[in-house]
Amino acid sequence: MTEGRVNESNGCGIRRRIRYDRRAEEPPSIAAAMALAQYYGDDVTAASTQLYDYIDPDALDSLFAETNRGGSRANGTVEFETDDAVVTIRSERVDVRPLD
């Protein structure tokens, strides 16, 4: 399993904010799944919330992949909602917060 770093803020419990710092070699889809599992307090292999129920993991990884010219898309951001959370994905991290 991957070893990204999770930072929690705003108290404890299921409605906390999660910040997952992604390693450079870790696909964004794996980082998002890890952050969601942490948010819900689940084991990522048995998580109740599946990433593919909300976003295509392959398409997500493609959005952050190197370009044909060898450049990166480091400034991009993808945001989507689950039933009760907002997930924001950047090249270096994933943030999960409660829906307002």
Side-chain angles (χ1 to χ4, degrees):
M1 198 50 59
T2 59
E3 295 293 325
R5 192 179 74 209
V6 175
N7 295 314
E8 299 177 29
S9 60
N10 293 340
C12 59
I14 197 160
R15 300 207 33 96
R16 66 184 179 269
R17 293 176 181 262
I18 296 294
R19 177 178 169 172
Y20 181 90
D21 294 324
R22 183 174 77 88
R23 291 178 163 205
E25 70 278 358
E26 183 177 41
S29 61
I30 298 298
M34 296 291 286
L36 278 169
Q38 181 67 30
Y39 179 79
Y40 289 111
D42 291 337
D43 179 326
V44 73
T45 60
S48 58
T49 300
Q50 300 296 318
L51 184 64
Y52 57 78
D53 288 337
Y54 301 97
I55 193 167
D56 181 334
D58 293 329
L60 176 61
D61 292 343
S62 294
L63 288 171
F64 288 94
E66 287 189 6
T67 65
N68 290 340
R69 297 179 183 169
S72 68
R73 298 177 183 149
N75 295 329
T77 301
V78 173
E79 187 170 278
F80 65 93
E81 295 180 2
T82 66
D83 295 331
D84 59 355
V86 177
V87 180
T88 305
I89 302 165
R90 294 175 179 83
S91 63
E92 74 284 354
R93 74 174 196 258
V94 178
D95 297 301
V96 184
R97 63 179 169 80
L99 267 173
D100 295 329

